Amino acid sequence: MRLGFTAASTLWVAWSALPAVCGERRNPENQRPATKVLAFFHGAETVSIAQFLGRLRPAPLSPAVRAQVIATLPAEGELRPTEAERAKLAALEPIFEFHGRRDALTIKVIEVGHAFVGLHARTVLLVSRDALALLTPEELQALAAHELGHEYVWDEYWTAMTRQAHPRMQELELVCDGIAVMTLRALGLQPARLVDAVTTVTRYNERLGATASAGGYVSLKERRNFIEEIASRFEAGNTAQATRR
């Protein structure tokens, strides 16, 4: 059974609380998405992760709006999670809590025929059964942290996706990777799990031919390098400073 909308192309996107990632630069010779996004994160190490993200985090949607969103979701394609799946999904609670979304997000397990984790309408985290089978709890945490990063750039991403502005989408996806790394560091978790999760899901979906959204991402190599670069800015030894409120 398939969910009644195309998960891979319509479920992510973000809120315009972040300033533009690719503003004017004095040295425009290197315009790779990763370079622009690294410039955006410059200086983030000088404050705590909680402070940095807290300044940018949008207010959660109201309960009434969230209820409307959930009411519009089709029943077809939604699955009842198994006991093992529920146990794995429970690992997401610290991620939701850190972003102030413990009571503002609903998790739904779906069947879409490939590995997928996506944020729908800032209200529902959709996780495919394929993804639950593939990912460890730690890898699932990492991808959920990425998806919650989309809330910080929701309107910008929606605009870019609607216009099929792939370069801008690539930049914003990297912003979400950066936010995910910061989230994992703040919680004492390993950013390497994000690299593992991204690699696992990408390779799995490539084997299935589920690559419709590939244009919105930089290459897997570039993405790994970016994640590792951001992670290096928040080494484990700096975690106490990074999480201090």
mmCIF file of all heavy atoms in Angstrom, residues 155-204:
data_model
loop_
_atom_site.group_PDB
_atom_site.id
_atom_site.type_symbol
_atom_site.label_atom_id
_atom_site.label_comp_id
_atom_site.label_asym_id
_atom_site.label_seq_id
_atom_site.Cartn_x
_atom_site.Cartn_y
_atom_site.Cartn_z
ATOM 1 N N ASP A 155 10.076 27.871 4.980
ATOM 2 C CA ASP A 155 9.566 28.637 3.847
ATOM 3 C C ASP A 155 10.577 28.715 2.711
ATOM 4 O O ASP A 155 10.218 28.622 1.533
ATOM 5 C CB ASP A 155 9.181 30.049 4.297
ATOM 6 C CG ASP A 155 7.889 30.075 5.096
ATOM 7 O OD1 ASP A 155 7.169 29.058 5.085
ATOM 8 O OD2 ASP A 155 7.618 31.098 5.745
ATOM 9 N N GLU A 156 11.843 28.897 3.075
ATOM 10 C CA GLU A 156 12.880 28.961 2.044
ATOM 11 C C GLU A 156 12.942 27.668 1.240
ATOM 12 O O GLU A 156 13.058 27.683 0.017
ATOM 13 C CB GLU A 156 14.247 29.222 2.677
ATOM 14 C CG GLU A 156 14.510 30.659 3.064
ATOM 15 C CD GLU A 156 15.976 30.848 3.377
ATOM 16 O OE1 GLU A 156 16.745 31.112 2.421
ATOM 17 O OE2 GLU A 156 16.352 30.725 4.546
ATOM 18 N N TYR A 157 12.875 26.546 1.937
ATOM 19 C CA TYR A 157 12.987 25.268 1.236
ATOM 20 C C TYR A 157 11.761 25.032 0.354
ATOM 21 O O TYR A 157 11.873 24.547 -0.776
ATOM 22 C CB TYR A 157 13.171 24.120 2.225
ATOM 23 C CG TYR A 157 13.613 22.837 1.563
ATOM 24 C CD1 TYR A 157 14.958 22.536 1.420
ATOM 25 C CD2 TYR A 157 12.678 21.940 1.050
ATOM 26 C CE1 TYR A 157 15.367 21.379 0.784
ATOM 27 C CE2 TYR A 157 13.069 20.781 0.416
ATOM 28 C CZ TYR A 157 14.415 20.501 0.287
ATOM 29 O OH TYR A 157 14.820 19.362 -0.347
ATOM 30 N N TRP A 158 10.586 25.374 0.878
ATOM 31 C CA TRP A 158 9.363 25.185 0.093
ATOM 32 C C TRP A 158 9.430 25.992 -1.192
ATOM 33 O O TRP A 158 9.077 25.497 -2.274
ATOM 34 C CB TRP A 158 8.153 25.603 0.915
ATOM 35 C CG TRP A 158 6.862 25.420 0.171
ATOM 36 C CD1 TRP A 158 6.154 26.369 -0.491
ATOM 37 C CD2 TRP A 158 6.162 24.189 -0.020
ATOM 38 N NE1 TRP A 158 5.037 25.819 -1.068
ATOM 39 C CE2 TRP A 158 5.026 24.480 -0.802
ATOM 40 C CE3 TRP A 158 6.381 22.884 0.399
ATOM 41 C CZ2 TRP A 158 4.102 23.500 -1.170
ATOM 42 C CZ3 TRP A 158 5.465 21.907 0.033
ATOM 43 C CH2 TRP A 158 4.345 22.212 -0.744
ATOM 44 N N THR A 159 9.891 27.225 -1.084
ATOM 45 C CA THR A 159 10.018 28.081 -2.272
ATOM 46 C C THR A 159 11.010 27.480 -3.261
ATOM 47 O O THR A 159 10.740 27.409 -4.475
ATOM 48 C CB THR A 159 10.474 29.493 -1.867
ATOM 49 O OG1 THR A 159 9.482 30.073 -1.008
ATOM 50 C CG2 THR A 159 10.665 30.382 -3.091
ATOM 51 N N ALA A 160 12.145 27.035 -2.761
ATOM 52 C CA ALA A 160 13.167 26.456 -3.642
ATOM 53 C C ALA A 160 12.654 25.189 -4.309
ATOM 54 O O ALA A 160 12.891 24.959 -5.506
ATOM 55 C CB ALA A 160 14.442 26.167 -2.849
ATOM 56 N N MET A 161 11.956 24.349 -3.553
ATOM 57 C CA MET A 161 11.453 23.098 -4.116
ATOM 58 C C MET A 161 10.379 23.368 -5.161
ATOM 59 O O MET A 161 10.349 22.741 -6.224
ATOM 60 C CB MET A 161 10.903 22.196 -3.015
ATOM 61 C CG MET A 161 10.536 20.809 -3.502
ATOM 62 S SD MET A 161 9.973 19.751 -2.154
ATOM 63 C CE MET A 161 8.421 20.565 -1.740
ATOM 64 N N THR A 162 9.492 24.318 -4.884
ATOM 65 C CA THR A 162 8.431 24.659 -5.833
ATOM 66 C C THR A 162 9.024 25.143 -7.153
ATOM 67 O O THR A 162 8.506 24.831 -8.236
ATOM 68 C CB THR A 162 7.514 25.738 -5.233
ATOM 69 O OG1 THR A 162 6.931 25.234 -4.024
ATOM 70 C CG2 THR A 162 6.404 26.117 -6.206
ATOM 71 N N ARG A 163 10.104 25.890 -7.048
ATOM 72 C CA ARG A 163 10.763 26.419 -8.253
ATOM 73 C C ARG A 163 11.772 25.445 -8.849
ATOM 74 O O ARG A 163 12.401 25.754 -9.856
ATOM 75 C CB ARG A 163 11.463 27.729 -7.906
ATOM 76 C CG ARG A 163 10.513 28.840 -7.479
ATOM 77 C CD ARG A 163 11.276 30.067 -7.003
ATOM 78 N NE ARG A 163 10.358 31.139 -6.619
ATOM 79 C CZ ARG A 163 10.744 32.276 -6.045
ATOM 80 N NH1 ARG A 163 12.039 32.488 -5.812
ATOM 81 N NH2 ARG A 163 9.856 33.193 -5.730
ATOM 82 N N GLN A 164 11.938 24.290 -8.210
ATOM 83 C CA GLN A 164 12.963 23.331 -8.624
ATOM 84 C C GLN A 164 14.334 23.983 -8.677
ATOM 85 O O GLN A 164 15.142 23.724 -9.591
ATOM 86 C CB GLN A 164 12.600 22.699 -9.971
ATOM 87 C CG GLN A 164 11.443 21.725 -9.893
ATOM 88 C CD GLN A 164 11.777 20.503 -9.038
ATOM 89 O OE1 GLN A 164 12.581 19.657 -9.426
ATOM 90 N NE2 GLN A 164 11.171 20.404 -7.854
ATOM 91 N N ALA A 165 14.592 24.835 -7.699
ATOM 92 C CA ALA A 165 15.880 25.523 -7.589
ATOM 93 C C ALA A 165 16.850 24.608 -6.849
ATOM 94 O O ALA A 165 17.075 24.747 -5.642
ATOM 95 C CB ALA A 165 15.703 26.851 -6.855
ATOM 96 N N HIS A 166 17.410 23.652 -7.571
ATOM 97 C CA HIS A 166 18.221 22.616 -6.952
ATOM 98 C C HIS A 166 19.452 23.146 -6.209
ATOM 99 O O HIS A 166 19.759 22.657 -5.121
ATOM 100 C CB HIS A 166 18.628 21.572 -7.989
ATOM 101 C CG HIS A 166 17.476 20.705 -8.412
ATOM 102 N ND1 HIS A 166 17.508 19.918 -9.545
ATOM 103 C CD2 HIS A 166 16.265 20.499 -7.847
ATOM 104 C CE1 HIS A 166 16.365 19.276 -9.669
ATOM 105 N NE2 HIS A 166 15.595 19.612 -8.648
ATOM 106 N N PRO A 167 20.169 24.126 -6.736
ATOM 107 C CA PRO A 167 21.317 24.635 -5.963
ATOM 108 C C PRO A 167 20.903 25.158 -4.592
ATOM 109 O O PRO A 167 21.600 24.929 -3.593
ATOM 110 C CB PRO A 167 21.879 25.740 -6.860
ATOM 111 C CG PRO A 167 21.513 25.314 -8.247
ATOM 112 C CD PRO A 167 20.138 24.717 -8.096
ATOM 113 N N ARG A 168 19.784 25.882 -4.551
ATOM 114 C CA ARG A 168 19.327 26.398 -3.257
ATOM 115 C C ARG A 168 18.866 25.270 -2.349
ATOM 116 O O ARG A 168 19.124 25.278 -1.140
ATOM 117 C CB ARG A 168 18.191 27.399 -3.485
ATOM 118 C CG ARG A 168 17.704 28.074 -2.211
ATOM 119 C CD ARG A 168 18.819 28.848 -1.561
ATOM 120 N NE ARG A 168 18.339 29.594 -0.401
ATOM 121 C CZ ARG A 168 19.086 29.879 0.644
ATOM 122 N NH1 ARG A 168 20.344 29.485 0.680
ATOM 123 N NH2 ARG A 168 18.611 30.563 1.652
ATOM 124 N N MET A 169 18.195 24.277 -2.916
ATOM 125 C CA MET A 169 17.773 23.120 -2.130
ATOM 126 C C MET A 169 18.990 22.413 -1.538
ATOM 127 O O MET A 169 18.976 21.994 -0.373
ATOM 128 C CB MET A 169 16.971 22.161 -3.003
ATOM 129 C CG MET A 169 15.612 22.693 -3.427
ATOM 130 S SD MET A 169 14.825 21.680 -4.697
ATOM 131 C CE MET A 169 14.541 20.157 -3.786
ATOM 132 N N GLN A 170 20.046 22.278 -2.331
ATOM 133 C CA GLN A 170 21.259 21.624 -1.850
ATOM 134 C C GLN A 170 21.847 22.369 -0.661
ATOM 135 O O GLN A 170 22.269 21.761 0.326
ATOM 136 C CB GLN A 170 22.280 21.524 -2.983
ATOM 137 C CG GLN A 170 21.875 20.559 -4.091
ATOM 138 C CD GLN A 170 22.789 20.638 -5.289
ATOM 139 O OE1 GLN A 170 23.739 21.434 -5.310
ATOM 140 N NE2 GLN A 170 22.525 19.825 -6.296
ATOM 141 N N GLU A 171 21.876 23.687 -0.757
ATOM 142 C CA GLU A 171 22.401 24.486 0.350
ATOM 143 C C GLU A 171 21.568 24.282 1.616
ATOM 144 O O GLU A 171 22.113 24.084 2.709
ATOM 145 C CB GLU A 171 22.414 25.957 -0.037
ATOM 146 C CG GLU A 171 23.410 26.305 -1.128
ATOM 147 C CD GLU A 171 23.163 27.670 -1.741
ATOM 148 O OE1 GLU A 171 22.322 28.428 -1.219
ATOM 149 O OE2 GLU A 171 23.822 27.975 -2.758
ATOM 150 N N LEU A 172 20.269 24.299 1.467
ATOM 151 C CA LEU A 172 19.394 24.178 2.632
ATOM 152 C C LEU A 172 19.428 22.776 3.222
ATOM 153 O O LEU A 172 19.304 22.600 4.443
ATOM 154 C CB LEU A 172 17.966 24.582 2.254
ATOM 155 C CG LEU A 172 17.809 26.064 1.886
ATOM 156 C CD1 LEU A 172 16.425 26.338 1.320
ATOM 157 C CD2 LEU A 172 18.078 26.955 3.102
ATOM 158 N N GLU A 173 19.615 21.763 2.382
ATOM 159 C CA GLU A 173 19.787 20.403 2.909
ATOM 160 C C GLU A 173 21.059 20.325 3.762
ATOM 161 O O GLU A 173 21.087 19.657 4.802
ATOM 162 C CB GLU A 173 19.851 19.382 1.775
ATOM 163 C CG GLU A 173 18.526 19.118 1.064
ATOM 164 C CD GLU A 173 17.527 18.362 1.921
ATOM 165 O OE1 GLU A 173 17.872 17.917 3.036
ATOM 166 O OE2 GLU A 173 16.376 18.203 1.467
ATOM 167 N N LEU A 174 22.098 21.027 3.333
ATOM 168 C CA LEU A 174 23.325 21.039 4.125
ATOM 169 C C LEU A 174 23.140 21.825 5.425
ATOM 170 O O LEU A 174 23.719 21.466 6.454
ATOM 171 C CB LEU A 174 24.479 21.621 3.308
ATOM 172 C CG LEU A 174 24.985 20.754 2.153
ATOM 173 C CD1 LEU A 174 26.098 21.467 1.401
ATOM 174 C CD2 LEU A 174 25.472 19.393 2.648
ATOM 175 N N VAL A 175 22.346 22.882 5.389
ATOM 176 C CA VAL A 175 22.022 23.576 6.637
ATOM 177 C C VAL A 175 21.399 22.585 7.619
ATOM 178 O O VAL A 175 21.746 22.558 8.803
ATOM 179 C CB VAL A 175 21.059 24.757 6.382
ATOM 180 C CG1 VAL A 175 20.509 25.284 7.707
ATOM 181 C CG2 VAL A 175 21.762 25.873 5.635
ATOM 182 N N CYS A 176 20.477 21.771 7.123
ATOM 183 C CA CYS A 176 19.817 20.779 7.990
ATOM 184 C C CYS A 176 20.802 19.738 8.497
ATOM 185 O O CYS A 176 20.702 19.294 9.645
ATOM 186 C CB CYS A 176 18.668 20.124 7.240
ATOM 187 S SG CYS A 176 17.354 21.275 6.789
ATOM 188 N N ASP A 177 21.766 19.357 7.661
ATOM 189 C CA ASP A 177 22.815 18.452 8.134
ATOM 190 C C ASP A 177 23.605 19.110 9.257
ATOM 191 O O ASP A 177 23.941 18.468 10.263
ATOM 192 C CB ASP A 177 23.762 18.081 6.981
ATOM 193 C CG ASP A 177 23.211 16.986 6.090
ATOM 194 O OD1 ASP A 177 22.290 16.262 6.509
ATOM 195 O OD2 ASP A 177 23.713 16.853 4.953
ATOM 196 N N GLY A 178 23.929 20.390 9.076
ATOM 197 C CA GLY A 178 24.668 21.099 10.119
ATOM 198 C C GLY A 178 23.895 21.171 11.419
ATOM 199 O O GLY A 178 24.443 20.974 12.505
ATOM 200 N N ILE A 179 22.610 21.462 11.335
ATOM 201 C CA ILE A 179 21.769 21.503 12.531
ATOM 202 C C ILE A 179 21.693 20.122 13.178
ATOM 203 O O ILE A 179 21.710 19.997 14.403
ATOM 204 C CB ILE A 179 20.371 22.040 12.177
ATOM 205 C CG1 ILE A 179 20.464 23.523 11.805
ATOM 206 C CG2 ILE A 179 19.395 21.841 13.333
ATOM 207 C CD1 ILE A 179 19.182 24.114 11.255
ATOM 208 N N ALA A 180 21.643 19.090 12.350
ATOM 209 C CA ALA A 180 21.620 17.727 12.887
ATOM 210 C C ALA A 180 22.896 17.418 13.657
ATOM 211 O O ALA A 180 22.853 16.842 14.751
ATOM 212 C CB ALA A 180 21.433 16.726 11.753
ATOM 213 N N VAL A 181 24.038 17.800 13.095
ATOM 214 C CA VAL A 181 25.317 17.574 13.781
ATOM 215 C C VAL A 181 25.340 18.303 15.114
ATOM 216 O O VAL A 181 25.747 17.744 16.151
ATOM 217 C CB VAL A 181 26.495 18.026 12.893
ATOM 218 C CG1 VAL A 181 27.794 18.058 13.695
ATOM 219 C CG2 VAL A 181 26.644 17.095 11.696
ATOM 220 N N MET A 182 24.906 19.547 15.127
ATOM 221 C CA MET A 182 24.882 20.308 16.370
ATOM 222 C C MET A 182 23.961 19.656 17.402
ATOM 223 O O MET A 182 24.275 19.591 18.588
ATOM 224 C CB MET A 182 24.450 21.746 16.074
ATOM 225 C CG MET A 182 25.418 22.507 15.188
ATOM 226 S SD MET A 182 24.809 24.145 14.697
ATOM 227 C CE MET A 182 25.154 25.060 16.203
ATOM 228 N N THR A 183 22.826 19.162 16.935
ATOM 229 C CA THR A 183 21.887 18.481 17.829
ATOM 230 C C THR A 183 22.530 17.254 18.455
ATOM 231 O O THR A 183 22.443 17.036 19.678
ATOM 232 C CB THR A 183 20.627 18.060 17.053
ATOM 233 O OG1 THR A 183 20.009 19.216 16.484
ATOM 234 C CG2 THR A 183 19.636 17.348 17.951
ATOM 235 N N LEU A 184 23.171 16.449 17.626
ATOM 236 C CA LEU A 184 23.794 15.219 18.132
ATOM 237 C C LEU A 184 24.901 15.544 19.122
ATOM 238 O O LEU A 184 25.019 14.900 20.175
ATOM 239 C CB LEU A 184 24.323 14.393 16.957
ATOM 240 C CG LEU A 184 23.255 13.889 15.971
ATOM 241 C CD1 LEU A 184 23.906 13.225 14.765
ATOM 242 C CD2 LEU A 184 22.287 12.939 16.651
ATOM 243 N N ARG A 185 25.722 16.532 18.798
ATOM 244 C CA ARG A 185 26.791 16.925 19.721
ATOM 245 C C ARG A 185 26.213 17.404 21.055
ATOM 246 O O ARG A 185 26.702 17.059 22.130
ATOM 247 C CB ARG A 185 27.637 18.026 19.108
ATOM 248 C CG ARG A 185 28.707 17.555 18.141
ATOM 249 C CD ARG A 185 29.757 16.732 18.832
ATOM 250 N NE ARG A 185 30.943 16.550 18.005
ATOM 251 C CZ ARG A 185 31.679 15.452 18.016
ATOM 252 N NH1 ARG A 185 31.325 14.429 18.783
ATOM 253 N NH2 ARG A 185 32.758 15.362 17.261
ATOM 254 N N ALA A 186 25.151 18.212 20.987
ATOM 255 C CA ALA A 186 24.561 18.752 22.205
ATOM 256 C C ALA A 186 24.019 17.647 23.104
ATOM 257 O O ALA A 186 24.012 17.782 24.334
ATOM 258 C CB ALA A 186 23.443 19.733 21.862
ATOM 259 N N LEU A 187 23.589 16.549 22.501
ATOM 260 C CA LEU A 187 23.026 15.433 23.266
ATOM 261 C C LEU A 187 24.070 14.372 23.605
ATOM 262 O O LEU A 187 23.731 13.324 24.158
ATOM 263 C CB LEU A 187 21.880 14.801 22.476
ATOM 264 C CG LEU A 187 20.647 15.698 22.291
ATOM 265 C CD1 LEU A 187 19.641 15.037 21.359
ATOM 266 C CD2 LEU A 187 20.000 16.011 23.635
ATOM 267 N N GLY A 188 25.326 14.652 23.259
ATOM 268 C CA GLY A 188 26.381 13.688 23.545
ATOM 269 C C GLY A 188 26.366 12.482 22.628
ATOM 270 O O GLY A 188 26.899 11.426 22.966
ATOM 271 N N LEU A 189 25.772 12.634 21.437
ATOM 272 C CA LEU A 189 25.687 11.553 20.462
ATOM 273 C C LEU A 189 26.720 11.766 19.363
ATOM 274 O O LEU A 189 27.249 12.867 19.200
ATOM 275 C CB LEU A 189 24.275 11.495 19.870
ATOM 276 C CG LEU A 189 23.151 11.338 20.902
ATOM 277 C CD1 LEU A 189 21.783 11.470 20.232
ATOM 278 C CD2 LEU A 189 23.271 10.002 21.639
ATOM 279 N N GLN A 190 26.974 10.747 18.602
ATOM 280 C CA GLN A 190 28.041 10.792 17.609
ATOM 281 C C GLN A 190 27.552 11.276 16.249
ATOM 282 O O GLN A 190 26.695 10.637 15.631
ATOM 283 C CB GLN A 190 28.666 9.400 17.449
ATOM 284 C CG GLN A 190 29.473 8.940 18.649
ATOM 285 C CD GLN A 190 30.639 9.869 18.936
ATOM 286 O OE1 GLN A 190 31.339 10.307 18.012
ATOM 287 N NE2 GLN A 190 30.837 10.191 20.198
ATOM 288 N N PRO A 191 28.081 12.392 15.745
ATOM 289 C CA PRO A 191 27.700 12.860 14.404
ATOM 290 C C PRO A 191 28.020 11.854 13.302
ATOM 291 O O PRO A 191 27.402 11.901 12.237
ATOM 292 C CB PRO A 191 28.532 14.140 14.235
ATOM 293 C CG PRO A 191 28.785 14.617 15.624
ATOM 294 C CD PRO A 191 28.950 13.363 16.437
ATOM 295 N N ALA A 192 28.948 10.949 13.558
ATOM 296 C CA ALA A 192 29.272 9.932 12.551
ATOM 297 C C ALA A 192 28.064 9.086 12.196
ATOM 298 O O ALA A 192 27.987 8.516 11.102
ATOM 299 C CB ALA A 192 30.402 9.026 13.056
ATOM 300 N N ARG A 193 27.096 9.009 13.108
ATOM 301 C CA ARG A 193 25.888 8.232 12.820
ATOM 302 C C ARG A 193 25.087 8.885 11.693
ATOM 303 O O ARG A 193 24.350 8.200 10.986
ATOM 304 C CB ARG A 193 25.025 8.089 14.069
ATOM 305 C CG ARG A 193 25.682 7.371 15.227
ATOM 306 C CD ARG A 193 25.953 5.885 14.932
ATOM 307 N NE ARG A 193 27.160 5.687 14.153
ATOM 308 C CZ ARG A 193 28.389 5.724 14.641
ATOM 309 N NH1 ARG A 193 28.590 5.970 15.924
ATOM 310 N NH2 ARG A 193 29.441 5.511 13.867
ATOM 311 N N LEU A 194 25.210 10.196 11.538
ATOM 312 C CA LEU A 194 24.526 10.860 10.424
ATOM 313 C C LEU A 194 25.149 10.445 9.108
ATOM 314 O O LEU A 194 24.441 10.187 8.133
ATOM 315 C CB LEU A 194 24.585 12.380 10.595
ATOM 316 C CG LEU A 194 23.898 13.203 9.496
ATOM 317 C CD1 LEU A 194 22.424 12.858 9.385
ATOM 318 C CD2 LEU A 194 24.078 14.705 9.767
ATOM 319 N N VAL A 195 26.470 10.387 9.061
ATOM 320 C CA VAL A 195 27.146 9.906 7.855
ATOM 321 C C VAL A 195 26.710 8.489 7.542
ATOM 322 O O VAL A 195 26.387 8.154 6.394
ATOM 323 C CB VAL A 195 28.678 9.971 8.020
ATOM 324 C CG1 VAL A 195 29.374 9.324 6.829
ATOM 325 C CG2 VAL A 195 29.146 11.408 8.182
ATOM 326 N N ASP A 196 26.678 7.634 8.559
ATOM 327 C CA ASP A 196 26.267 6.245 8.355
ATOM 328 C C ASP A 196 24.845 6.168 7.818
ATOM 329 O O ASP A 196 24.552 5.416 6.874
ATOM 330 C CB ASP A 196 26.346 5.469 9.673
ATOM 331 C CG ASP A 196 27.760 5.345 10.213
ATOM 332 O OD1 ASP A 196 28.712 5.523 9.425
ATOM 333 O OD2 ASP A 196 27.911 5.082 11.419
ATOM 334 N N ALA A 197 23.939 6.944 8.417
ATOM 335 C CA ALA A 197 22.535 6.894 8.015
ATOM 336 C C ALA A 197 22.342 7.387 6.591
ATOM 337 O O ALA A 197 21.624 6.771 5.793
ATOM 338 C CB ALA A 197 21.694 7.717 8.982
ATOM 339 N N VAL A 198 22.975 8.514 6.271
ATOM 340 C CA VAL A 198 22.855 9.079 4.927
ATOM 341 C C VAL A 198 23.385 8.100 3.887
ATOM 342 O O VAL A 198 22.777 7.895 2.828
ATOM 343 C CB VAL A 198 23.613 10.421 4.855
ATOM 344 C CG1 VAL A 198 23.818 10.863 3.422
ATOM 345 C CG2 VAL A 198 22.863 11.487 5.645
ATOM 346 N N THR A 199 24.516 7.488 4.185
ATOM 347 C CA THR A 199 25.117 6.532 3.246
ATOM 348 C C THR A 199 24.223 5.312 3.069
ATOM 349 O O THR A 199 23.969 4.869 1.937
ATOM 350 C CB THR A 199 26.499 6.091 3.756
ATOM 351 O OG1 THR A 199 27.339 7.240 3.913
ATOM 352 C CG2 THR A 199 27.150 5.123 2.776
ATOM 353 N N THR A 200 23.723 4.772 4.162
ATOM 354 C CA THR A 200 22.876 3.580 4.104
ATOM 355 C C THR A 200 21.615 3.829 3.301
ATOM 356 O O THR A 200 21.251 3.044 2.411
ATOM 357 C CB THR A 200 22.506 3.125 5.530
ATOM 358 O OG1 THR A 200 23.692 2.739 6.219
ATOM 359 C CG2 THR A 200 21.540 1.946 5.499
ATOM 360 N N VAL A 201 20.926 4.926 3.594
ATOM 361 C CA VAL A 201 19.674 5.229 2.903
ATOM 362 C C VAL A 201 19.926 5.540 1.427
ATOM 363 O O VAL A 201 19.185 5.069 0.549
ATOM 364 C CB VAL A 201 18.957 6.404 3.594
ATOM 365 C CG1 VAL A 201 17.812 6.931 2.732
ATOM 366 C CG2 VAL A 201 18.421 5.960 4.954
ATOM 367 N N THR A 202 20.967 6.306 1.140
ATOM 368 C CA THR A 202 21.270 6.655 -0.250
ATOM 369 C C THR A 202 21.559 5.416 -1.083
ATOM 370 O O THR A 202 21.002 5.234 -2.179
ATOM 371 C CB THR A 202 22.472 7.619 -0.313
ATOM 372 O OG1 THR A 202 22.149 8.814 0.396
ATOM 373 C CG2 THR A 202 22.811 7.960 -1.762
ATOM 374 N N ARG A 203 22.430 4.559 -0.573
ATOM 375 C CA ARG A 203 22.791 3.351 -1.327
ATOM 376 C C ARG A 203 21.591 2.417 -1.499
ATOM 377 O O ARG A 203 21.387 1.824 -2.572
ATOM 378 C CB ARG A 203 23.926 2.603 -0.618
ATOM 379 C CG ARG A 203 25.244 3.371 -0.541
ATOM 380 C CD ARG A 203 25.720 3.782 -1.911
ATOM 381 N NE ARG A 203 27.055 4.373 -1.882
ATOM 382 C CZ ARG A 203 27.485 5.287 -2.730
ATOM 383 N NH1 ARG A 203 26.666 5.754 -3.668
ATOM 384 N NH2 ARG A 203 28.705 5.764 -2.648
ATOM 385 N N TYR A 204 20.794 2.287 -0.471
ATOM 386 C CA TYR A 204 19.610 1.423 -0.537
ATOM 387 C C TYR A 204 18.634 1.929 -1.594
ATOM 388 O O TYR A 204 18.131 1.163 -2.432
ATOM 389 C CB TYR A 204 18.945 1.381 0.836
ATOM 390 C CG TYR A 204 17.700 0.529 0.910
ATOM 391 C CD1 TYR A 204 17.790 -0.851 1.068
ATOM 392 C CD2 TYR A 204 16.438 1.113 0.851
ATOM 393 C CE1 TYR A 204 16.640 -1.633 1.154
ATOM 394 C CE2 TYR A 204 15.291 0.340 0.938
ATOM 395 C CZ TYR A 204 15.391 -1.027 1.093
ATOM 396 O OH TYR A 204 14.252 -1.790 1.186
#
